[in-house]
Amino acid sequence: MSQRITIDHRAAPALRHPEKAHRPDNPIQRKPSWIRVKAPNHPVYHETRALMRDAGLVTVCEEAACPNIGECWSQRHATMMIMGEICTRACAFCNVTTGMPKHLDADEPRRVGEAVAKLGLRHVVITSVDRDDLADGGAEHFAQVIRSIRQTSPETTIEILTPDFLRKDGALEVVVAARPDVFNHNIETVPRLYPTIRPGARYYQSVRLLDGVKRLDPSIFTKSGLMLGLGEERMEVAQVMDDFRIADVDFLTLGQYLQPSAKHAAVEKFITPDEFDGYAAAARSKGFLQVSASPLTRSSYHADSDFAKLQAARKSRLKESL
């Protein structure tokens, strides 16, 4: 039988997020019946975990306490988080540790490439912490990781989930030149909520980043997502969808925000599956090639099968235009 679980693979929230210690507590609400995951106990889950440990790699699956970790790791799907596990920003929703990151590990691209080969991945997702401390925001490191994977696993398709490279001139060009198959950057929430939920970021910088990918290389799929349940209004979500379409974003993901600790932003509402279906229908009507919307949808959830659907959708649309 499925059971509700809270997965926290790291230290207690009070130690993990000292920058949030002064904030008032937001009691964590009981999750509704439709948000349920199985406890991770599959043998392949433990094999995947051991491989990441042996390679000295960090995964966002653990750092962000993703509810889908049991399912994904049991299928050898892990989203690798490069450039360390300490982020220079302190978003109100995020479970990743905030602080001063360590120096970049020059050997990390090689280890990531080897891990992808050992796992035999058809599709891999690479993300990172924000590295505002670096002159290029980590753009060259992303490019090196992409090139390493191409060398060890030439048939593997590569999806990256990047920071916004705010005030990092030329960074986007470096990453796009490495030619990932999918360029993902999450908007996370609606513009009105940025000052409280994503204070270190700028909404229109994120939209411009996605637009810039298409201007530099239209063949790269672009992808972005939002968390719902933070207090956004339906019309605000619709406006973000329209902004995405102006930027020619191909793939939209919508998932339920789940509060990592009492010091994080509160869940204002649990969105029902029917409401997610309504958002998905609205998004499809606006022309996205692919839409994934459900309470447990996350950026890299089912990324391999979704990439195949993206390719098929693009081919179908091209045929229709002939």
Side-chain angles (χ1 to χ4, degrees), residues 122-141:
R122 295 175 302 176
H123 185 81
V124 63
V125 182
I126 305 295
T127 189
S128 79
V129 291
D130 276 288
R131 292 297 304 258
D132 296 309
D133 59 309
L134 300 175
D136 69 348
E140 177 58 30
H141 200 76

Side-chain angles (χ1 to χ4, degrees), residues 249-275:
V249 172
D250 298 301
F251 189 175
L252 172 67
T253 62
L254 301 171
Q256 172 70 53
Y257 166 63
L258 298 176
Q259 185 180 342
S261 81
K263 295 297 183 182
H264 286 78
V267 175
E268 298 295 332
K269 180 182 178 181
F270 285 107
I271 312 301
T272 68
D274 284 346
E275 288 175 300

Side-chain angles (χ1 to χ4, degrees), residues 264-293:
H264 286 78
V267 175
E268 298 295 332
K269 180 182 178 181
F270 285 107
I271 312 301
T272 68
D274 284 346
E275 288 175 300
F276 271 106
D277 288 345
Y279 278 117
R284 292 189 184 98
S285 73
K286 293 178 184 293
F288 290 97
L289 285 180
Q290 178 77 6
V291 178
S292 179

Side-chain angles (χ1 to χ4, degrees), residues 51-289:
L51 190 152
M52 296 301 162
R53 294 290 182 276
D54 292 344
L57 298 174
V58 178
T59 68
V60 74
C61 318
E62 293 179 288
E63 296 301 316
C66 180
N68 303 315
I69 189 171
E71 177 186 348
C72 293
W73 283 27
S74 297
Q75 299 174 16
R76 300 188 187 279
H77 298 160
T79 299
M80 299 178 202
M81 192 166 79
I82 60 175
M83 297 192 280
E85 66 265 35
I86 301 176
C87 186
T88 53
R89 299 189 190 175
C91 296
F93 64 87
C94 186
N95 199 46
V96 174
T97 303
T98 300
M100 179 55 67
K102 300 175 184 178
H103 293 295
L104 285 181
D105 181 352
D107 191 49
E108 185 175 54
R110 178 191 64 80
R111 297 200 312 277
V112 171
E114 289 183 354
V116 170
K118 287 180 181 178
L119 285 167
L121 300 180
R122 295 175 302 176
H123 185 81
V124 63
V125 182
I126 305 295
T127 189
S128 79
V129 291
D130 276 288
R131 292 297 304 258
D132 296 309
D133 59 309
L134 300 175
D136 69 348
E140 177 58 30
H141 200 76
F142 259 105
Q144 290 177 15
V145 169
I146 293 169
R147 290 193 289 266
S148 177
I149 296 170
R150 295 285 188 222
Q151 184 175 11
T152 61
S153 306
E155 299 302 317
T156 299
T157 49
I158 302 171
E159 179 172 332
I160 58 171
L161 173 54
T162 77
D164 58 10
F165 298 121
L166 182 64
R167 304 184 187 94
K168 306 296 183 183
D169 292 344
L172 179 62
E173 287 80 0
V174 169
V175 179
V176 171
R179 303 204 74 249
D181 297 282
V182 181
F183 192 111
N184 186 1
H185 171 67
N186 284 331
I187 294 289
E188 306 293 9
T189 190
V190 299
R192 176 176 58 85
L193 297 178
Y194 262 54
T196 54
I197 301 302
R198 202 176 174 218
R202 301 294 181 268
Y203 174 78
Y204 288 106
Q205 163 66 18
S206 290
V207 174
R208 281 195 296 269
L209 187 81
L210 293 161
D211 181 67
V213 175
K214 285 295 189 182
R215 292 180 183 275
L216 290 167
D217 189 340
S219 70
I220 296 176
F221 289 105
T222 50
K223 178 178 177 180
S224 190
L226 293 89
M227 302 170 294
L228 302 184
L230 283 162
E232 69 287 334
E233 299 292 336
R234 190 175 184 88
M235 289 304 296
E236 291 178 305
V237 177
Q239 182 61 59
V240 172
M241 292 182 189
D242 288 340
D243 291 343
F244 281 167
R245 292 307 302 130
I246 292 172
D248 199 21
V249 172
D250 298 301
F251 189 175
L252 172 67
T253 62
L254 301 171
Q256 172 70 53
Y257 166 63
L258 298 176
Q259 185 180 342
S261 81
K263 295 297 183 182
H264 286 78
V267 175
E268 298 295 332
K269 180 182 178 181
F270 285 107
I271 312 301
T272 68
D274 284 346
E275 288 175 300
F276 271 106
D277 288 345
Y279 278 117
R284 292 189 184 98
S285 73
K286 293 178 184 293
F288 290 97
L289 285 180

